[in-house]
Amino acid sequence: MYDPLLYLGFFVIYTILILIFGRHGFDRSENIKDYFIARRSLGLWTSISTFCATWFSAISMLGFTGLIYSNGYSSMLFTTVVWFLGAGIMVLAIDRLYDYGAVTVPEFFRIRYESTTIQVISGFVIFISFIVYLVFQIQGFGLVIGKLLNIPYTVGLFLVFLFIIYTTFGGLYSVARTDVLNFVLIMIGTVVAAVLVLDAIGGIRIMHAMVSKRFFLTNEHQQTSPFSPLPEGGWSIVSFISSFFAMTLGISANPQYVIRIFSAKNKKTAYQMISISIILISIAYVALAIVGVGGKLLVPVGSVPHHDEIFPFMMNEFITSPLKGLILISIVAATVSTANSQLLILASSVVYDIYQSFRKNKVSDRALLFHTRWLIVVIATLALLIALTPLQDLIRYTGHVWGMIAATFFFPLFGGLYFPEVHRRNAIFSIIGGFVTYIISLILIPEDFSRYVHPAVPSVIISGILFFIKVRR
Amino acid sequence: MMKKRRTIERKIMISFLIVVLIPCLAVGVSAYWTGYKTYKDERFNEAENRLNNVVTYIKLVEQHYLQGELAEEDAKSLAKKWVLQSDSAILIEDPHVYEKTHESIAPWWVSFLDKQNGKYKRNEETNEMKEQWVVIYHIKKWDWVIVIPFSFSYLSQPLIDIQKNTLLVMILAAIIAVELTIILSHQLSRPLKNLAAFCQQLGKGDVRVKTETEFPLSRKDEIGVLAHAIQEMLDNLEEKKQLEKKMERIERLASMGQMASGIAHEIRNPLAGIKTTTQVISSRLKLDERNLALFQGITSEIDRVDRIITNLMNLSRPREPNARLISAYDVVDQILILLEKENKDKPITFQNRISKEATFYIDLDHFKQIIINLTLNAINAMDVGGTVDFSSCNEGGIFIRDEGRGISIEDIKKIYDPFYTTSSSGSGLGLTMVHQLVLQNKGEIEIHSEEGMGTIFRLYFPTKEGE
């Protein structure tokens, strides 16, 4: 079948399913807490689905495949390993964090440090970081869908805009329900992609045998081993430490995952959610890694201008099975699931953390829900307008968002849980200090050098010093 | 929670979906159909142009041959070369051989070889999904046939490329329409669903505090009107319930009063005999101080029983009220002066904050009795003293508020029952009497109490005759 028609067919089926699944939460939210954390009622498999689906985005799927294509399996040490370490650190927070009964991370700060100021400041930090993050997601979707369906970039943006507005309308109930669908599609899509690539090459043994004979770092024109954790001319241990500061600490304090702890029905569910999710996510990453390495054999060097595009390029050029429609939908599902979670976090930071803190009179639940839904439309429209100018090399920019979260939230969050003597002033200084240092580092550290010293490194250190400095005195 | 059948929502949604999706589909399908027709015409024109091109050239060569400028073989060779070069045209030099070819291996257009020149013929075995056509031309001079077969379908790649934007616009329009339909149908039906769920709960007797979402009284549309109507109905029901409760109490008091009156009558006479006998024996015997106190105790207990009997008699045969306009402030003030003098055991403060303009149309003695009983009740409830506050309420009644130990929810239901008391010294008739007198004077009494927080009685009486 003609490819765009095949993709269009799958896309229409996905749209119908999203419309049905997204309807789930419309009736369920009675108040703003229901809307943002689903009344702390999410069961194990729903929590796992929403955690995993939020974890995968189009940017991470394409970016990860591109990295494996460029550097071989060694990229996994600097991506999946540091990401999973972040999830591991998050486990340390569950027991204490859950007891606070907060709805948002800034609200946890307010309760822990008894300060509305810190809630407002952290609400602003989330807004600034996540609006950028959301724009990247929308742009990633526009680029992929534009290439695969051969439609204008703007139309692609508008499609994701419609999806995320609709799925966010019902709050976390709707987001979680559509995430069940999205997660199933992501898993099927990635595994199908790996199977089709292996089928095109002749099996995993042949692939590894072939790739070990001729694997070049595309930038260096230098042969290396795709299996070496630290290949010559590739990544180094310094880069690993740098990634740890930006990615590991960024993920562990990322509100988009922390909120999944809040929404789990109990602590046990939260623990199981993270543990089982890591196993399932690993399967998807292995599948994507196979696609990346397979790309090295199937795609001639120089066929794509950016390595992020290797996955869609392979789908168009080397995979003939109609099942590739599922792969496209898995990328769409990854974008929708991440973007709607981010939109929800953005809305919670504005309505719950900033707007409510400034209002003297209590607003009724009905009015607050109404305002939140309208705000979601406004924020999504704003992100859509910003996204109209496309950016390349998206995964690099998302790294900065995580770095920013690490620099501002890591110490106030984990330090707040484990060091009861730390005062609110330290937490405020830590957030502001981390934020300012990150911006300065971003400007001052040259782009080539940032691979070794990510802006997150100095900013997390400064944030930590500011957090503890008074205690030491 | 009401079982979520979403009937109204579904009805609204399905109707809207039909209304919005049919035009979307109709516009999309007609646009695609128009595109398909144009594409089809183009394919016909293209085939015709190719045929004309080939035929014109062959005729030119033929003319050269006829004019003797070319040998027949050369002319035919040139013509064949030209046909071979042209895209998709087939030259058949001996149509009769083709016609004799076995059906299974013959091309589908063989049966049309003898047809008229330039006519389009369709393979009847094909459907609209993939149509096959042919256009044929006979070169009579050489008995040649030029055949140009061509095909197209609804899903031809070039057609989809042309129509892709139409499809996209249609899909986008459909997504927007469906999303808006779902959201709107939800928004429109939600207040009704909430109201229905609320009524269902009412039916089950669950009258809890209503939120604005469940019971949208602030709405100004029909749903607001419905909510107000339900509210009014609920108020009427509540009023009726209160009235029934009041009637039930009156009847209960009357029957208990009759019974008590019978018992009292039977007890009073022997009690009088016992009292007289006790007094006689006491005067005849030379009693020491200790025994004299015992005898006095007997007499005072007999007096207490007698008072109870008198109260019971009053309860069973209440005096008809002689109502007149009285000043609540003045009456309460007079009573408080008396009670202040008598009450020296505990540090009790009385506050009379009743408005001086507050008047009731009531029997004066009954009102005094009510205030005395309630005040004594308040004093008894305050073990370590406190304040008894009398004040006016906005609706025209008066409050009597104490700082005593309060009454539990379970006890509140029984406080007006005769002989029900939580105090060892009380008779359990004080509040029964208050209640009876209030009802007799067409008044109302309400109580609000919390354990450990004190009790508030609220009294309402008519303010003029006939109210």
Side-chain angles (χ1 to χ4, degrees), chain B residues 253-447:
Chain B
L253 278 175
S255 61
M256 286 195 79
Q258 272 179 344
M259 191 181 75
S261 157
I263 295 169
H265 184 73
E266 291 302 319
I267 293 173
R268 204 166 209 181
N269 290 339
L271 201 64
I274 293 168
K275 189 181 175 185
T276 317
T277 312
T278 308
Q279 283 168 342
V280 171
I281 294 172
S282 152
S283 62
R284 284 183 189 171
L285 293 174
K286 287 184 179 171
L287 295 169
D288 57 16
E289 221 171 87
R290 199 174 152 199
N291 287 326
L292 188 66
L294 284 173
F295 266 90
Q296 277 171 350
I298 292 169
T299 316
S300 80
E301 282 305 300
I302 289 168
D303 287 342
R304 198 169 77 84
V305 173
D306 191 57
R307 276 201 304 277
I308 292 173
I309 290 166
T310 309
N311 284 341
L312 270 175
M313 300 288 276
N314 290 339
L315 209 62
S316 61
R317 285 197 297 272
R319 181 174 61 78
E320 276 304 307
N322 178 21
R324 62 190 172 90
L325 211 56
I326 58 150
S327 161
Y329 176 84
D330 291 342
V331 177
V332 169
D333 216 36
Q334 287 164 19
I335 293 168
L336 292 184
I337 291 165
L338 285 174
L339 287 173
E340 259 171 5
K341 280 180 187 166
E342 284 192 17
N343 183 63
K344 302 285 180 195
D345 304 340
K346 288 183 276 189
I348 304 281
T349 314
F350 297 109
Q351 272 183 1
N352 184 3
R353 298 191 294 120
I354 297 172
S355 162
K356 288 185 178 168
E357 280 78 44
T359 51
F360 294 135
Y361 192 74
I362 188 174
D363 184 297
L364 178 63
D365 292 336
H366 285 179
F367 186 67
K368 280 182 178 171
Q369 190 66 55
I370 290 166
I371 297 297
I372 290 168
N373 283 11
L374 288 177
T375 312
L376 289 174
N377 223 52
I379 292 167
N380 287 335
M382 295 188 291
D383 298 325
V384 289
T387 305
V388 184
D389 183 57
F390 296 79
S391 59
S392 300
C393 65
N394 294 336
E395 293 84 5
I398 55 167
F399 286 122
I400 302 168
R401 190 192 316 256
D402 69 51
E403 296 170 348
R405 53 184 172 273
I407 307 167
S408 70
I409 296 169
E410 282 306 306
D411 287 341
I412 282 181
K413 292 174 189 166
K414 302 180 227 166
I415 53 165
Y416 300 125
D417 292 348
F419 305 114
Y420 181 80
T421 178
T422 53
S423 157
S424 55
S425 59
S427 66
L429 289 170
L431 286 177
T432 314
M433 197 173 283
V434 166
H435 189 244
Q436 195 188 37
L437 294 175
V438 168
L439 294 180
Q440 260 188 288
N441 286 277
K442 297 176 185 170
E444 276 181 32
I445 181 165
E446 286 174 10
I447 177 169

Side-chain angles (χ1 to χ4, degrees), chain A residues 170-462:
Chain A
L172 189 60
Y173 281 114
S174 284
V175 169
R177 182 57 69 98
T178 50
D179 279 352
V180 174
L181 169 72
N182 288 329
F183 175 57
V184 170
L185 289 172
I186 290 168
M187 288 304 285
I188 293 174
T190 48
V191 172
V192 163
V195 170
L196 292 177
V197 166
L198 288 177
D199 186 51
I201 293 170
I204 196 158
R205 283 187 187 171
I206 295 173
M207 183 179 85
H208 283 160
M210 286 169 73
V211 85
S212 59
K213 280 181 196 163
R214 50 184 190 90
F215 193 92
F216 295 91
L217 290 172
T218 46
N219 295 334
E220 312 282 337
H221 302 288
Q222 176 188 359
Q223 188 159 0
T224 184
S225 166
F227 305 105
S228 163
L230 297 169
E232 201 180 328
W235 302 88
S236 65
I237 197 72
V238 180
S239 311
F240 179 80
I241 294 167
S242 195
S243 300
F244 177 85
F245 271 86
M247 305 288 187
T248 304
L249 304 186
I251 281 186
S252 64
N254 193 328
Q256 131 185 7
Y257 305 121
V258 174
I259 214 81
R260 264 75 195 162
I261 295 175
F262 292 156
S263 63
K265 69 178 178 188
N266 52 40
K267 285 183 192 174
K268 190 182 170 193
T269 305
Y271 279 113
Q272 289 176 334
M273 171 185 78
I274 295 180
S275 321
I276 299 173
S277 294
I278 289 176
I279 296 168
L280 294 173
I281 290 168
S282 305
I283 296 170
Y285 275 132
V286 168
L288 289 172
I290 289 171
V291 174
V293 173
K296 203 71 176 177
L297 300 175
L298 292 173
V299 182
V301 175
S303 300
V304 286
H306 298 280
H307 291 172
D308 294 356
E309 293 169 23
I310 197 73
F311 196 1
F313 182 80
M314 285 169 73
M315 278 175 62
N316 271 343
E317 304 297 325
F318 298 100
I319 298 171
T320 50
S321 165
L323 286 173
K324 63 183 176 181
L326 274 174
I327 304 171
L328 164 86
I329 293 307
S330 71
I331 298 172
V332 174
T335 307
V336 172
S337 60
T338 311
N340 58 18
S341 293
Q342 290 167 348
L343 192 54
L344 206 60
I345 296 282
L346 273 165
S348 70
S349 69
V350 177
V351 172
Y352 199 81
D353 300 319
I354 301 172
Y355 174 71
Q356 277 212 132
S357 302
F358 281 118
R359 264 196 86 93
K360 283 178 184 166
N361 304 329
K362 199 179 178 302
V363 190
S364 74
D365 284 334
R366 192 179 159 204
L368 215 52
L369 272 177
F370 183 76
H371 293 166
T372 306
R373 284 178 169 144
W374 270 111
L375 186 76
I376 278 169
V377 177
V378 172
I379 295 173
T381 311
L382 181 68
L384 177 76
L385 292 174
I386 301 171
L388 287 173
T389 313
L391 287 170
Q392 295 296 340
D393 207 3
L394 294 171
I395 201 159
R396 195 162 55 83
Y397 292 102
T398 57
H400 284 306
V401 176
W402 289 356
M404 179 67 86
I405 295 292
T408 49
F409 285 179
F410 179 75
F411 280 105
L413 181 66
F414 287 88
L417 291 173
Y418 284 94
F419 297 93
E421 68 277 15
V422 176
H423 192 258
R424 66 166 168 263
R425 194 172 294 174
N426 289 62
I428 293 172
F429 286 160
S430 176
I431 292 176
I432 296 173
F435 185 84
V436 172
T437 315
Y438 196 92
I439 300 291
I440 295 168
S441 308
L442 193 64
I443 297 163
L444 294 182
I445 296 175
E447 204 173 311
D448 294 341
F449 196 63
S450 67
R451 184 173 170 181
Y452 303 102
V453 182
H454 193 278
V457 179
S459 15
V460 169
I461 292 169
I462 296 289

Side-chain angles (χ1 to χ4, degrees), chain B residues 101-242:
Chain B
T101 315
H102 192 269
E103 205 177 306
S104 62
I105 54 165
W108 65 267
W109 35 260
V110 164
S111 57
F112 298 119
L113 286 181
D114 58 345
K115 303 289 186 221
Q116 221 176 343
N117 277 356
K119 291 280 181 189
Y120 298 106
K121 296 294 170 193
R122 181 183 168 180
N123 182 1
E124 296 300 332
E125 287 173 17
T126 59
N127 56 26
E128 278 73 14
M129 289 307 286
K130 188 170 185 182
E131 290 184 39
Q132 289 182 328
W133 289 77
V134 69
V135 58
I136 289 166
Y137 195 89
H138 292 261
I139 310 286
K140 287 180 184 161
K141 181 77 183 167
W142 292 331
D143 198 16
W144 282 4
V145 179
I146 310 293
V147 179
I148 298 190
F150 58 98
S151 64
F152 47 84
S153 84
Y154 285 134
L155 302 176
S156 303
Q157 189 170 324
L159 180 64
I160 291 172
D161 279 336
I162 298 164
Q163 291 293 308
K164 199 171 61 196
N165 288 338
T166 310
L167 284 174
L168 266 175
V169 170
M170 191 182 82
I171 290 172
L172 272 175
I175 294 175
I176 295 169
V178 173
E179 285 187 359
L180 286 177
T181 300
I182 294 174
I183 291 171
L184 276 177
S185 58
H186 167 258
Q187 292 294 91
L188 288 174
S189 62
R190 186 174 176 156
L192 270 178
K193 283 195 294 179
N194 288 337
L195 208 57
F198 175 71
C199 291
Q200 208 172 33
Q201 280 173 349
L202 273 185
K204 289 176 187 165
D206 178 11
V207 193
R208 61 193 165 82
V209 179
K210 305 171 280 279
T211 62
E212 178 57 29
T213 316
E214 289 172 320
F215 204 58
L217 283 168
S218 62
R219 289 180 76 109
K220 290 186 172 56
D221 55 10
E222 286 82 350
I223 292 160
V225 172
L226 198 59
H228 277 285
I230 293 172
Q231 178 68 60
E232 211 170 305
M233 194 178 77
L234 279 177
D235 291 345
N236 289 341
L237 276 174
E238 185 61 27
E239 214 170 286
K240 199 180 161 194
K241 217 166 151 185
Q242 292 291 336

